[in-house]
Amino acid sequence: MRRWNGWGDDTHQAELADFAKALIAELLGETHPLSDATLQSAIDRVPVSRAPDHPLLDKTPATRIRHASGQSFSDWLQMRSGMFENIPDAVAFPETSQQVRELMDWAAQQDVILVPYGGGTSVVGHLACPASEKPQITIALTRMNRLLDFDKESQIATFGAGVRGPDLEAQLAAIGYTLGHFPQSFELSTAGGWVVTRSSGQQSLRYGRIEQLFAGGTLETPKGTLEIPSLPASSAGPDLREMVLGSEGTLGILTEVKLRVTPLAETEQFYTVFMPDWESGVAAVQAVTQGRIPLSMMRLSNATETDVSLKLAVPEKKLSKLNMLFKLKGLTDQKCMLTFGLTGSKKQVSVNQKLANTCLKQHGAKRVLSKMLGDKWKEGRFKGPYLRHPLWEHGVGVDTFETAMDWSALRPYINVVEQSVTKALKEQGIPVFAFTHLSHVYPQGSSAYTTYLFPVASTYEETLERWKIIKKVASETVVAHGGTISHQHGVGRDHAPYLPAEKGALGMSALKALSHNFDPDQRMNPGVLISEETVGNTEPA
Ligand SMILES: Cc1cc2nc3c(=O)[nH]c(=O)nc-3n(C[C@H](O)[C@H](O)[C@H](O)COP(=O)(O)OP(=O)(O)OC[C@H]3O[C@@H](n4cnc5c(N)ncnc54)[C@H](O)[C@@H]3O)c2cc1C
């Protein structure tokens, strides 16, 4: 069953190896866990529902708790402490677009707030609605999970927007196709959630981001139904898909999604090579993307992430042998792991592999257990989030932040971002450990994804304060370097104060006008994307 207070299915438990605990002690000092609330104690605190009656509403406390938050660090603290800032008054589970329409019209009559809920995997505060005088109804799309139509000739599949990654891929695989959208949250996130948060999958190099895969669909808005036709291309004015992409549930509820799918590939392979250092690694991924060599994914870890990943992936005894191999190849502790994927027909993969190997070799790549480590990446590609649990139980908070920027801005950013974050709690004498990778690379620039770990405090409140300080430092460093406040996680409430720095005052007022056009009473997920205080302000808060 899905965990009520953490990530994923409770039958899967990740564990921290002894050497990982030793490493934590070395980096963060002694750590002490906080005690977790039980589901029953959280249920006991759930206030009486204020929701008016409707046959589609479920008002049971456990269901309301399970839909009260996403997976951001502050959401995590609410779940583990059982102390939610706000809990929806009811959850609806519509099964058709018609039922969503009915709920939306009913919401207008009853003057209630609506929060669309896909897989609940948001990491930027999309779902933890602040308390309001109006009742809040969460609309969970989970039951709208079927393949509704397949236009084989055009390779367009129409799905219910609440379909989760594995169910979507299974239904497509049954007819020989794939969407190829694999965010790390694949197990739980949904097609509708991907579209409205502008998600990016691990193999975006081949299949594109969700922007390229989303062909059209149906958005039920408080003002009416917006049908977006699927066209291969159009010069008929601004593209309406762009209004829905990144709308984060503020314009309406996406009920049906038309997606561009691809026949299943004949073969798929992953390899890992080691670059002598960060500079040569960046030059290599730049050369591959700018040379338009068609790989399906590329991920370049910096030296710190390389070290941590190897320690996590390779058993201690084998690691010393591996280190000898690195030495023989002239690789030092500055080495950076570069994992890449090849997908397509056998012939394409063979040609592309040769092109990639030649290019990477020119930049100093060394092969050490290349296929084995590539396979390890594939095997663990969706399992990383489960490590949050043993880390938490060991007294360690873990979170990530990400951005994208042009190559010219990325180099200076990379030089300072980890320094800023690791010093964020210096005044309190608290260590923070951070490492970074590039995983979505473009000819123009790249995403940069940083993971950080810090010791939890002796109370939930203090732990939240620690996280807020780090988050602020990270966000300000991103903005100061001209990066986007998010490459793939979206804006939510956590990033809303930084959006005006990116969009400008006029841009923000246009977004606000759009929201008022579709949602004149501002009942759709208020506070997400556009924070009232920051509209018109081009400086980050
Ligand atoms: C461990 C982990 C790993 C992650 N890895 C990635 C990654 O690799 N790439 C990536 O892009 N993201 C990643 N994310 C972030 C997250 O998975 C994405 O933002 C995802 O697209 C959210 O989809 P969801 O269905 O879970 O949406 P939810 O979290 O349920 O909702 C997110 C927002 O979308 C709105 N919404 C959801 N469905 C609809 C709908 N049908 N109509 C209108 N509004 C809707 C909600 O109101 C909310 O504002 C990760 C998150 C976690 C926890």
Side-chain angles (χ1 to χ4, degrees):
M1 189 177 190
R2 184 170 177 178
R3 284 189 173 88
W4 73 275
N5 64 348
W7 179 256
D9 194 290
D10 59 11
T11 55
H12 183 79
Q13 309 276 356
E15 280 179 21
L16 275 191
D18 285 344
F19 79 87
K21 290 180 188 163
L23 185 68
I24 289 167
E26 190 191 315
L27 298 166
L28 302 180
E30 214 175 296
T31 53
H32 304 279
L34 283 166
S35 68
D36 294 335
T38 60
L39 178 57
Q40 189 55 51
S41 67
I43 287 174
D44 292 344
R45 283 197 205 96
V46 174
V48 174
S49 171
R50 302 164 300 169
D53 286 333
H54 186 284
L56 285 176
L57 297 192
D58 181 340
K59 298 185 191 176
T60 54
T63 307
R64 290 164 60 197
I65 284 181
R66 287 180 180 278
H67 295 83
S69 67
Q71 293 284 329
S72 73
F73 193 76
S74 56
D75 290 336
W76 176 272
L77 293 182
Q78 295 199 42
M79 292 188 284
R80 303 309 287 209
S81 65
M83 307 280 276
F84 292 87
E85 197 186 326
N86 182 35
I87 289 182
D89 291 283
V91 185
F93 296 91
E95 293 183 13
T96 61
S97 297
Q98 183 54 34
Q99 286 184 339
V100 173
R101 183 70 260 152
E102 281 165 26
L103 281 165
M104 209 150 245
D105 296 340
W106 171 83
Q109 286 158 14
Q110 302 290 335
D111 196 19
V112 300
I113 286 173
L114 293 181
V115 177
Y117 183 103
T121 67
S122 153
V123 279
V124 292
H126 282 117
L127 296 164
C129 210
S132 154
E133 283 169 11
K134 297 181 184 179
Q136 178 199 318
I137 311 295
T138 291
I139 311 281
L141 281 306
T142 352
R143 291 187 188 159
M144 297 179 62
N145 58 4
R146 282 189 299 279
L147 176 61
L148 302 170
D149 184 56
F150 182 50
D151 174 350
K152 190 171 178 186
E153 202 173 351
S154 317
Q155 300 190 342
I156 297 288
T158 307
F159 276 95
V163 65
R164 288 184 184 153
D167 294 338
L168 176 142
E169 282 296 338
Q171 290 178 75
L172 286 177
I175 50 173
Y177 286 78
T178 178
L179 177 64
H181 189 74
F182 302 108
Q184 198 192 33
S185 57
F186 176 71
E187 187 182 332
L188 296 174
S189 55
T190 63
W194 299 336
V195 171
V196 302
T197 60
R198 301 188 81 102
S199 163
S200 198
Q202 290 163 346
Q203 283 165 274
S204 62
L205 210 49
R206 172 176 168 87
Y207 297 101
R209 285 164 62 88
I210 201 71
E211 291 98 300
Q212 281 91 49
L213 300 170
F214 174 53
T218 307
L219 185 77
E220 296 295 348
T221 83
K223 266 276 201 57
T225 306
L226 181 75
E227 293 287 356
I228 304 176
S230 112
L231 295 163
S234 163
S235 70
D239 190 337
L240 295 183
R241 285 174 309 165
E242 283 296 336
M243 298 191 313
V244 179
L245 286 158
S247 59
E248 303 191 350
T250 61
L251 303 184
I253 300 181
L254 194 56
T255 56
E256 292 184 10
V257 213
K258 291 181 186 298
L259 297 164
R260 295 173 176 142
V261 299
T262 311
L264 283 166
E266 194 181 358
T267 182
E268 179 152 81
Q269 294 160 22
F270 298 96
Y271 297 94
T272 293
V273 295
F274 290 87
M275 306 306 300
D277 52 27
W278 180 251
E279 277 306 315
S280 57
V282 171
V285 294
Q286 231 175 328
V288 169
T289 43
Q290 292 178 344
R292 298 326 198 240
I293 298 174
L295 300 183
S296 60
M297 61 80 59
M298 248 198 303
R299 174 182 170 131
L300 175 70
S301 300
N302 73 358
T304 316
E305 187 175 280
T306 300
D307 186 45
V308 173
S309 306
L310 287 173
K311 283 179 175 156
L312 286 176
V314 185
E316 220 173 345
K317 277 184 197 159
K318 286 192 181 162
L319 197 58
S320 48
K321 282 188 190 156
L322 190 59
N323 282 333
M324 279 161 60
L325 284 177
F326 289 140
K327 220 170 177 182
L328 280 173
K329 296 260 180 177
L331 291 163
T332 69
D333 58 4
Q334 290 306 301
K335 67 186 169 304
C336 291
M337 193 157 83
L338 195 166
T339 299
F340 63 94
L342 296 145
T343 308
S345 69
K346 285 183 184 158
K347 211 168 176 179
Q348 283 169 336
V349 163
S350 156
V351 171
N352 296 339
Q353 187 174 10
K354 282 192 192 106
L355 290 171
N357 282 342
T358 307
C359 181
L360 295 174
K361 213 169 160 190
Q362 277 164 0
H363 289 84
K366 305 275 184 215
R367 293 170 68 99
V368 178
L369 305 180
S370 190
K371 178 88 170 66
M372 190 201 97
L373 290 172
D375 287 344
K376 276 258 172 215
W377 176 84
K378 183 183 172 191
E379 190 191 309
R381 63 193 288 192
F382 305 125
K383 294 197 183 130
Y386 282 93
L387 274 172
R388 263 179 146 187
H389 293 266
L391 283 167
W392 175 256
E393 281 147 22
H394 198 67
V396 178
V398 57
D399 197 17
T400 62
F401 62 92
E402 38 81 56
T403 179
M405 53 187 79
D406 290 356
W407 287 115
S408 51
L410 192 86
R411 286 169 196 270
Y413 168 78
I414 292 290
N415 290 337
V416 301
V417 66
E418 283 183 15
Q419 285 175 31
S420 311
V421 168
T422 50
K423 286 186 193 147
L425 301 175
K426 201 176 162 201
E427 271 178 29
Q428 294 106 301
I430 300 157
V432 180
F433 176 61
F435 45 86
T436 302
H437 67 252
L438 312 183
S439 51
H440 298 268
V441 282
Y442 306 90
Q444 180 184 345
S446 176
S447 72
Y449 188 105
T450 302
T451 303
Y452 59 90
L453 286 80
F454 63 101
V456 302
S458 55
T459 64
Y460 274 95
E461 294 75 16
E462 280 175 71
T463 305
L464 179 63
E465 283 316 306
R466 284 185 186 180
W467 172 77
K468 278 186 180 168
I469 295 170
I470 306 173
K471 181 79 185 166
K472 188 166 188 286
V473 167
S475 303
E476 286 176 355
T477 309
V478 163
V479 172
H481 285 81
T484 172
I485 196 60
S486 178
H487 166 266
Q488 64 201 50
H489 290 160
V491 178
R493 290 181 181 81
D494 295 352
H495 291 156
Y498 301 94
L499 197 62
E502 195 168 324
K503 307 290 183 200
L506 196 54
M508 288 306 294
S509 71
L511 291 179
K512 198 177 175 193
L514 190 65
S515 151
H516 278 270
N517 177 67
F518 289 106
D519 179 22
D521 299 325
Q522 298 288 278
R523 73 176 74 262
M524 298 301 308
N525 214 356
V528 158
L529 196 62
I530 302 167
S531 130
E532 277 304 319
E533 305 89 69
T534 55
V535 171
N537 173 14
T538 51
E539 295 298 321

